Amino acid sequence: MMWSSEIPSVARFITALNQLLAKAETIKPDGLIEPALTSSSFDGQVEAIGKEGEGTTIANPQAHYAALETACRNIFYDRLGSTTIDQPSFGLIWNLLDIVSILSDLERCEPGLIFWLVEELLDSQTIAGCKIVFDYLDSRREQITRKHFKQKQLIILRACNELLRRLSRIEDTVFCGRVYIFMFQSFPLGDRSSVNLRGEYHVENVTIFDKHPVRADERFSANMEIEQPFDEANSKDNIIQDDVRANKTNILVEGTGENKLESSKFASNQVESANEPTKVDGDDKKSQAVELDNDTLYPIFWSLQEYFSQPTRLFDEVAFQKFKSGLELTLRKFKVVQEEQQLRGVPKIAYENKDTVKLKGNSTEEAIANSFNPRYLTSRHLFELEISDLAFRRHILVQALIVIDFLLGLTPKAKKKLENASNKSVLYSFTLDDEGAKWATAMRAEIASYLQQGPEGKFYYRMVDTVLSRDKNWVQWKAEGCPPIGRDTLSVEDFEESKKGARKAFAPRRLRATPMGTLDLSFLTETGDHDRLEKLNQPERSSIPTIESFKGPLAQDDFNLEMAIAEEEKEELRMAKESKNWRVLRIAAQTRMKDLDKIEDPNNLQVLFDPIDDENQHRTDAAAIDSGVAKEPTPAENAE
């Protein structure tokens, strides 16, 4: 495309871009990705490109965009063909991309030009070089996706998906994760581009396992034979090669024809024979159930992956029963393995800190898989090691939790919440019955209890449960047709109105002179300080009233009860009378104890108001003095 530089408009843009790149080289002489160049780094020279009077303005905007794109591509291809990504001179490419990003934000070029160049840059690099390109993308993500994202999103998807097709999920797992994270962070949360609207499952994810696993006695014979002189080439076969050789005679879970039928019969017979518990009474039934050996559990365990990869198979009753039996046997075996490790004192995360393991019959130490592997190794030789690893057991049980939550979403109560959903592709006609729902709920609780055991078990389960809980909201959102979840920006008028309401709500209020529910303390301000103290020391404030002082008020309450009409008024009068009766009885308990036996009606205390003879009065006064209760002086005593 160098011939295009002869076009006057393209040549002018190339000259202007070279000037900007020369200034960028003085700012970043080392050619590194960081720091990012901004418009202020060029003192307004970027804004000058395409302005009136600069000689670079083209009347037709499309022609203007095409000329500037051609100039950028000429510089891009020239440097890309003359240097490698690990050389300092390659820094011109990073500077050019920064300048194109600034021009895109200023609408001086096509918004997607920067990602067109990045897409071609990725196609020209090895995997190691693509990682460096993604270092640039990660550092500029917010800057290059802030404006005109709708014009860029399809280019981003195409470039990232093409790169993912080149990567191996086994060897480049971390890099695949970086690509996915870049897309997740670039696209809005409610974007439908990554939503599986039709509810399709990854049925191509086929799990392969041994058709007829080698039993313990056969392995013992094989080990004895290995003690014979062996070939040097055979000694170099590692675990992975052994796994591949075994897979040549393996069966496909998703297979069809005779292999699938034979596999199903074999797994079914194993489940039926192994699922017969010992006849016991009480709660010891589970604990005394027949424990499966690894050879019997092996095909049952790996057959669960068929239901994990496509849960809709569980709509068939026979398949659901097999899934129940297989999951129960697997969880029972996991519990037994963990108990044995605790008794032996083996760390719960087995082989976590070991780099190698020595298998029987092999004279060399071979590396084993760490706690994360994008693909399960299903060789029978590794099965015992895998179930001894706590991380592996947790991975399997998390898969089971996902399927169980899927089943619990098919109960009548759960389906009622989505009865008005618009996306019928993810709404199933199958309904889980009460028995299946009870089993799923109980199994989920049992798995949750198991996951909380072991190192950091509480934290691990809380993390898993949080993710699954949020996933239910996404399932509902997808069933409702992915409605927009973004909210409009608050207008200035609404913001000012809310500020006024907040100020009014929190403004200082004027207090009342006498707040509701407070005592009347006006007597404190009527006279001087001496009079106030005397009023507080008045005898009637601390002396016990006499029984006779309640006679008039009680009679008045009786009269008011007879005259009252409303039920609320009657109820208030009854409560007032009961309060006075209770105080009369308290006083009589200290002054007229003997007369309490004469009371026949609790609402009629007239006997306590009748006068008493002198002898009884003398004994009562003595008792009152002993009890510390002062006798009320009579009028004659007051006269004396």
Side-chain angles (χ1 to χ4, degrees):
M1 294 181 65
M2 297 306 297
W3 59 269
S4 59
S5 60
E6 299 177 359
I7 302 174
S9 59
V10 175
R12 286 193 294 269
F13 280 127
I14 291 178
T15 302
L17 291 174
N18 284 329
Q19 292 176 357
L20 295 177
L21 290 173
K23 185 173 182 58
E25 190 174 358
T26 60
I27 300 174
K28 297 168 56 178
D30 50 5
L32 299 178
I33 295 176
E34 295 293 346
L37 298 175
T38 61
S39 180
S40 60
S41 303
F42 299 96
D43 300 328
Q45 296 181 17
V46 180
E47 290 85 345
I49 295 181
K51 279 188 176 182
E52 295 286 345
E54 295 295 332
T56 55
T57 299
I58 300 177
N60 187 352
Q62 295 299 326
H64 170 83
Y65 288 169
L68 183 55
E69 178 183 346
T70 303
C72 292
R73 287 183 180 275
N74 284 344
I75 299 174
F76 178 80
Y77 292 143
D78 180 63
R79 182 54 57 95
L80 189 62
S82 61
T83 185
T84 58
I85 197 171
D86 55 348
Q87 294 180 353
S89 58
F90 199 85
L92 182 140
I93 298 293
W94 311 130
N95 297 337
L96 177 63
L97 293 177
D98 284 343
I99 294 172
V100 172
S101 176
I102 299 172
L103 293 172
S104 174
D105 293 343
L106 296 174
E107 298 182 357
R108 304 294 169 82
C109 67
E110 287 287 349
L113 177 58
I114 180 174
F115 285 102
W116 288 337
L117 298 177
V118 168
E119 184 179 15
E120 296 189 16
L121 180 59
L122 289 171
D123 292 340
S124 66
Q125 299 298 318
T126 62
I127 300 300
C130 290
K131 293 179 180 179
I132 300 176
V133 176
F134 253 83
D135 291 339
Y136 172 83
L137 292 177
D138 289 337
S139 63
R140 307 291 200 276
R141 179 184 57 80
E142 295 183 0
Q143 177 182 340
I144 61 182
T145 60
R146 182 173 58 249
K147 294 183 178 181
H148 310 102
F149 182 74
K150 289 185 178 180
Q151 291 86 350
K152 301 175 181 178
Q153 58 182 358
L154 292 180
I155 310 173
I156 296 175
L157 279 177
R158 183 175 66 241
C160 292
N161 287 331
E162 286 296 330
L163 178 59
L164 288 172
R165 292 188 183 98
R166 295 172 54 190
L167 299 178
S168 170
R169 293 190 177 183
I170 296 178
E171 297 180 0
D172 305 311
T173 307
V174 177
F175 192 24
C176 289
R178 287 184 62 188
V179 177
Y180 280 117
I181 290 174
F182 177 79
M183 290 193 292
F184 295 155
Q185 292 179 340
S186 299
F187 284 80
L189 188 62
D191 193 86
R192 300 175 60 176
S193 59
S194 61
V195 178
N196 184 12
L197 288 175
R198 291 180 293 179
E200 296 177 348
Y201 293 96
H202 185 32
V203 295
E204 292 83 5
N205 183 17
V206 179
T207 301
I208 304 172
F209 58 92
D210 293 347
K211 182 176 180 180
H212 298 294
V214 181
R215 302 194 64 83
D217 52 352
E218 299 176 3
R219 291 200 308 273
F220 180 76
S221 301
N223 291 339
M224 295 298 292
E225 293 177 0
I226 293 179
E227 296 298 332
Q228 303 295 328
F230 57 87
D231 187 36
E232 182 179 359
N234 293 333
S235 65
K236 297 181 180 180
D237 293 336
N238 58 19
I239 300 173
I240 308 300
Q241 294 172 334
D242 190 18
D243 182 47
V244 173
R245 288 198 304 273
N247 288 341
K248 293 182 180 180
T249 58
N250 287 349
I251 60 171
L252 299 179
V253 175
E254 298 290 338
T256 56
E258 296 180 359
N259 285 343
K260 181 178 180 181
L261 179 62
E262 185 176 359
S263 171
S264 301
K265 289 181 179 180
F266 177 72
S268 176
N269 293 336
Q270 295 290 346
V271 172
E272 293 175 358
S273 61
N275 199 29
E276 296 179 358
T278 307
K279 295 183 179 179
V280 293
D281 296 331
D283 297 335
D284 296 336
K285 183 175 181 180
K286 290 184 180 180
S287 60
Q288 297 186 16
V290 175
E291 179 187 344
L292 288 181
D293 59 89
N294 295 334
D295 296 314
T296 306
L297 180 64
Y298 173 81
I300 302 172
F301 174 83
W302 286 117
S303 63
L304 293 177
Q305 295 296 323
E306 174 184 359
Y307 309 109
F308 292 161
S309 63
Q310 195 170 2
T312 52
R313 292 178 179 269
L314 298 176
F315 296 168
D316 180 66
E317 183 63 26
V318 177
F320 184 58
Q321 295 300 326
K322 290 181 179 180
F323 173 75
K324 289 171 58 177
S325 301
L327 188 56
E328 290 172 354
L329 293 172
T330 298
L331 183 58
R332 185 188 307 166
K333 183 65 176 181
F334 284 179
K335 291 181 178 179
V336 171
V337 170
Q338 183 158 320
E339 291 175 358
E340 291 178 351
Q341 289 180 349
Q342 291 176 350
L343 291 176
R344 295 197 308 264
V346 178
K348 294 181 176 61
I349 301 182
Y351 307 100
E352 181 182 26
N353 298 322
K354 294 184 179 181
D355 296 329
T356 57
V357 64
K358 191 171 184 178
L359 298 179
K360 292 181 178 180
N362 198 338
S363 60
T364 59
E365 294 184 353
E366 307 294 345
I368 67 170
N370 56 18
S371 61
F372 173 76
N373 198 303
R375 179 180 177 273
Y376 290 127
L377 302 178
T378 59
S379 172
R380 176 62 189 89
H381 299 289
L382 296 174
F383 184 60
E384 185 174 355
L385 291 175
E386 287 178 317
I387 64 175
S388 299
D389 183 9
L390 179 59
F392 176 81
R393 299 198 297 268
R394 284 176 170 175
H395 290 169
I396 297 298
L397 293 181
V398 168
Q399 285 184 290
L401 282 180
I402 296 173
V403 176
I404 289 175
D405 281 351
F406 170 78
L407 292 174
L408 291 176
L410 299 175
T411 59
K413 183 178 179 181
K415 295 179 71 174
K416 188 176 180 180
K417 299 179 181 179
L418 301 176
E419 57 184 2
N420 297 325
S422 59
N423 187 7
K424 304 300 180 182
S425 300
V426 295
L427 302 179
Y428 304 96
S429 58
F430 174 79
T431 302
L432 189 66
D433 55 14
D434 293 339
E435 182 180 356
K438 290 180 180 178
W439 174 86
T441 304
M443 178 57 65
R444 195 187 193 287
E446 195 170 355
I447 293 176
S449 176
Y450 180 85
L451 290 178
Q452 296 181 53
Q453 303 174 13
E456 299 183 352
K458 299 285 186 181
F459 172 77
Y460 180 83
Y461 175 72
R462 186 179 65 182
M463 177 181 63
V464 172
D465 187 60
T466 301
V467 173
L468 295 179
S469 299
R470 293 180 178 178
D471 187 66
K472 294 177 183 177
N473 297 330
W474 288 112
V475 170
Q476 182 178 356
W477 176 70
K478 184 167 67 174
E480 294 174 352
C482 304
I485 61 177
R487 293 186 177 181
D488 296 334
T489 306
L490 189 65
S491 63
V492 178
E493 294 77 9
D494 294 339
F495 179 72
E496 292 297 332
E497 188 67 24
S498 61
K499 281 176 61 176
K500 292 180 181 179
R503 287 175 183 155
K504 185 177 180 181
F506 291 96
R509 299 181 179 180
R510 184 178 179 182
L511 299 177
R512 296 183 179 182
T514 55
M516 297 178 61
T518 59
L519 298 175
D520 185 12
L521 303 178
S522 59
F523 69 92
L524 295 175
T525 60
E526 291 177 356
T527 57
D529 295 339
H530 182 70
D531 294 338
R532 297 173 191 172
L533 185 59
E534 288 182 353
K535 288 185 176 181
L536 290 175
N537 293 330
Q538 289 179 356
E540 59 268 15
R541 292 179 54 85
S542 59
S543 62
I544 299 176
T546 61
I547 293 178
E548 287 75 11
S549 63
F550 290 95
K551 185 176 181 181
L554 286 173
Q556 186 64 33
D557 290 343
D558 292 336
F559 176 77
N560 293 337
L561 278 172
E562 294 177 1
M563 300 300 294
I565 299 176
E567 288 296 330
E568 295 180 0
E569 184 180 0
K570 290 182 179 180
E571 184 65 24
E572 292 179 359
L573 292 171
R574 290 193 192 98
M575 293 179 64
K577 183 180 178 181
E578 290 177 358
S579 177
K580 294 181 180 67
N581 287 339
W582 178 78
R583 283 182 281 177
V584 169
L585 292 174
R586 288 289 303 270
I587 299 171
Q590 296 180 345
T591 59
R592 302 186 62 170
M593 180 70 74
K594 184 177 180 181
D595 294 332
L596 293 178
D597 295 335
K598 300 177 182 180
I599 300 174
E600 298 179 358
D601 185 5
N603 293 324
N604 186 5
L605 304 180
Q606 185 61 36
V607 65
L608 298 179
F609 300 118
D610 295 339
I612 58 176
D613 55 1
D614 295 339
E615 183 180 355
N616 290 338
Q617 182 67 35
H618 178 71
R619 286 199 292 265
T620 302
D621 293 343
I625 293 172
D626 294 338
S627 61
V629 178
K631 184 190 72 170
E632 185 69 19
T634 62
E637 293 174 344
N638 288 332
E640 295 178 356

